[in-house]
Amino acid sequence: MQSSIDSETLALQTLSSLSARLARIEHALVGTPALTPQNTSTPLSLHAAKINHRDHSIRARLSALEAALTRLANHSKPVHDLLSLHAAYPEIFIDVLPAIQLPPSGGLSIEEKAAVVLSSAPGVQSVTSQLVSLRDLPVPDVDTSVKLVGLQPRLDKLVVMQEMQAREMADLRRRSLKVLERWYEVGVEGVNECFAEWDERVAKCERVVRRMAAENGEEGEGE
């Protein structure tokens, strides 16, 4: 009796799962659930899961699912073509590839496992020796630890001082850049402009001297 109840429960759960899958397929293909010819306000997926209250047998639910699938095929051409293909060539829907049987323990034989263990043995010994050396390290003196903890306020002050010095150095860099720009404008460009002005004045003086020398030469020849 218990076995019969378990079988019926399993069958009902399977039918419920099939009904849910049919509803998802219907939503993916149609967009909105299609309507049955008997009731234009109830979707196919609900008709697939709805059973008359007088007949709760598994056969009735299976018949309802088949009827819902038929109605969905009438409303959806892809489903109709897929069912026709399944009826004509059922072998293409069967997985003919055999299940790959992997050997236990990741497919390694005993010899391969032994080789892996032997190759990793030096590393295990090295890690073990390092752990032992860490265990043998002496614990620092309590007084030293207390002194280090007592230095923390001074370290905090030094950090603040370092930040202040960094800001001051940044300000000095900006001021130095401004001084350098001013020196370039006055000391370099100003001197260049001064020399250019002197060259121009010297050139004018040379022209005046040459003109006066030429005039004096002409007067001497006339006398």
Side-chain angles (χ1 to χ4, degrees):
M1 182 66 180
Q2 183 66 26
S3 177
S4 177
I5 294 176
D6 293 341
S7 299
E8 291 180 359
T9 303
L10 180 60
L12 291 174
Q13 291 177 354
T14 303
L15 290 174
S16 298
S17 177
L18 291 175
S19 177
R21 292 182 182 181
L22 181 60
R24 290 196 296 269
I25 294 173
E26 179 185 356
H27 178 71
L29 294 176
V30 182
T32 56
L35 301 178
T36 61
Q38 292 84 359
N39 186 0
T40 58
S41 63
T42 307
L44 289 175
S45 57
L46 295 180
H47 276 285
K50 183 178 179 181
I51 304 300
N52 193 307
H53 66 280
R54 296 181 180 178
D55 189 0
H56 295 278
S57 65
I58 296 176
R59 185 182 298 275
R61 298 193 64 176
L62 185 59
S63 299
L65 279 174
E66 291 177 351
L69 181 59
T70 302
R71 288 191 294 270
L72 180 59
N74 294 332
H75 287 82
S76 176
K77 189 176 183 300
V79 176
H80 181 271
D81 295 341
L82 188 61
L83 293 177
S84 300
L85 185 63
H86 181 270
Y89 306 98
E91 63 275 4
I92 65 176
F93 293 89
I94 300 175
D95 188 8
V96 296
L97 295 177
I100 300 176
Q101 299 293 334
L102 294 177
S105 302
L108 297 178
S109 62
I110 297 178
E111 291 78 6
E112 293 173 342
K113 293 179 182 178
V116 172
V117 172
L118 292 176
S119 63
S120 302
V124 174
Q125 295 176 358
S126 175
V127 172
T128 303
S129 62
Q130 292 177 3
L131 293 176
V132 171
S133 63
L134 289 176
R135 185 184 61 185
D136 295 338
L137 288 176
V139 178
D141 189 11
V142 178
D143 295 336
T144 304
S145 301
V146 171
K147 290 180 181 179
L148 291 175
V149 173
L151 291 175
Q152 186 62 40
R154 296 180 60 185
L155 293 175
D156 295 338
K157 292 181 180 179
L158 290 175
V159 170
V160 174
M161 185 181 298
Q162 185 178 6
E163 293 177 354
M164 293 177 60
Q165 291 177 352
R167 289 193 294 268
E168 291 178 357
M169 291 179 64
D171 183 62
L172 288 175
R173 283 194 294 269
R174 289 192 296 269
R175 294 171 62 183
S176 299
L177 181 59
K178 291 181 179 179
V179 171
L180 182 61
E181 291 177 354
R182 181 61 178 171
W183 172 81
Y184 183 79
E185 292 175 356
V186 177
V188 177
E189 293 183 354
V191 171
N192 291 336
E193 292 177 357
C194 183
F195 277 112
E197 183 181 359
W198 289 352
D199 290 339
E200 184 179 357
R201 294 172 65 180
V202 169
K204 289 181 179 180
C205 292
E206 288 180 354
R207 288 195 297 270
V208 172
V209 170
R210 289 176 182 176
R211 185 171 60 252
M212 293 177 64
E215 292 177 353
N216 293 332
E218 291 177 356
E219 291 178 356
E221 292 177 357
E223 293 177 354

